[in-house]
Amino acid sequence: MHRALPLLLLCAAAHAAEVAQFRAEVFGAEWRATRGDAALVAVPPATNGWGSAFADGGGVSFAATNGVASPLSFDIGTTGSVARALIVADCAEARPWASLLDAPVGAALAPRAFEWEVVRFEESNCLGAVAVSVDGLSDAAMPVDGAPHLVEISFSEPVSADDLYLGGHPATPAWSRAWRGRVFETLFCFGEPSEKDADALRAYLSLRWRLGLDFDSPPDIAARLRALGVDPGALYATILILR
């Protein structure tokens, strides 16, 4: 039975956002969030030539045997709107209009088809509705080097969860708009995070995936992550030394 993402409790001490965290090591027939009931499921392939996403090299690969995999979308029972997404991904096999995250406003990557072309987000579709950064740099190119990078997408107006697609879009032919690479971890923010919460999310992803990015790390980062619904693992274990 499909279940909705738990509602955020509204109180003075609550955070402005709750995060649905998807880590590649728990990818299966459906990709369930580490906490809560949210899940990403494959969009049923029709006649567009989609294969299936699969676990590969510590990530979820969309480079199936036929070259592309079905995009993933939120479980039909998931409610709420996403204000921001932080995605650790690589792009090793660029194709025109490959799509990392598709939404009604068109937050889509346009990797280069040839070595001399610059890889940038397709601004013509964004219409000022999204702000995109790669490794903390606004409007930066997405390296096609097979290494993980942090892509952050902020929507000016939150997008309904059921309008988001990770890894492509089901209404377009697989050969023309599908992600050719892997996704290692994705954080979907249901609600706009505060700046310190956003700093905590960026610092966590940089440390966990050894990206070496210079993000501010709040002193209470472990508490912030857990309050947002993110499992940081053992990254911020506290050791008490009794004297």
Side-chain angles (χ1 to χ4, degrees):
M1 181 175 70
H2 298 307
R3 292 176 292 180
L5 188 74
L7 295 176
L8 180 65
L9 296 177
L10 299 179
C11 63
H15 284 262
E18 183 168 316
V19 176
Q21 175 190 25
F22 296 89
R23 299 174 71 162
E25 61 263 36
V26 297
F27 176 77
E30 59 179 9
W31 195 359
R32 301 204 65 83
T34 56
R35 296 181 180 178
D37 297 321
L40 294 173
V41 296
V43 176
T47 60
N48 292 336
W50 301 111
S52 298
F54 59 95
D56 176 54
V60 175
S61 177
F62 289 88
T65 53
N66 66 342
V68 287
S70 170
L72 302 177
S73 65
F74 275 102
D75 175 285
I76 194 171
T78 301
T79 59
S81 296
V82 174
R84 190 178 304 202
L86 296 92
I87 305 170
V88 177
D90 68 20
C91 184
E93 187 183 346
R95 291 290 186 276
W97 290 104
S99 179
L100 176 60
L101 182 69
D102 198 279
V105 295
L109 265 179
R112 61 189 174 189
F114 305 100
E115 287 301 315
W116 49 267
E117 288 187 326
V118 176
V119 187
R120 294 192 180 279
F121 281 87
E122 183 57 37
E123 296 179 1
S124 62
N125 276 4
C126 292
L127 302 178
V130 297
V132 177
S133 67
V134 178
D135 293 338
L137 300 176
S138 298
D139 301 320
M142 177 69 179
V144 185
D145 55 7
H149 297 274
L150 175 58
V151 178
E152 183 172 352
I153 301 171
S154 297
F155 301 103
S156 59
E157 294 292 335
V159 176
S160 177
D162 58 10
D163 283 332
L164 289 173
Y165 296 94
L166 182 66
H169 193 287
T172 53
W175 52 265
S176 68
R177 195 167 181 181
W179 185 250
R180 306 300 180 91
R182 295 171 295 176
V183 172
F184 299 92
E185 184 163 353
T186 299
L187 305 177
F188 289 102
C189 299
F190 284 75
E192 183 61 34
S194 68
E195 268 310 303
K196 285 192 177 298
D197 284 347
D199 286 341
L201 297 175
R202 299 182 191 111
Y204 155 70
L205 289 174
S206 177
L207 180 59
R208 183 181 183 232
W209 293 103
R210 301 180 181 178
L211 303 180
L213 303 175
D214 187 20
F215 293 126
D216 292 333
S217 179
D220 58 346
I221 184 170
R224 285 182 177 275
L225 292 173
R226 292 190 175 92
L228 289 166
V230 174
D231 179 5
L235 286 180
Y236 303 103
T238 301
I239 301 175
L240 298 179
I241 301 177
L242 302 179
R243 296 182 179 178

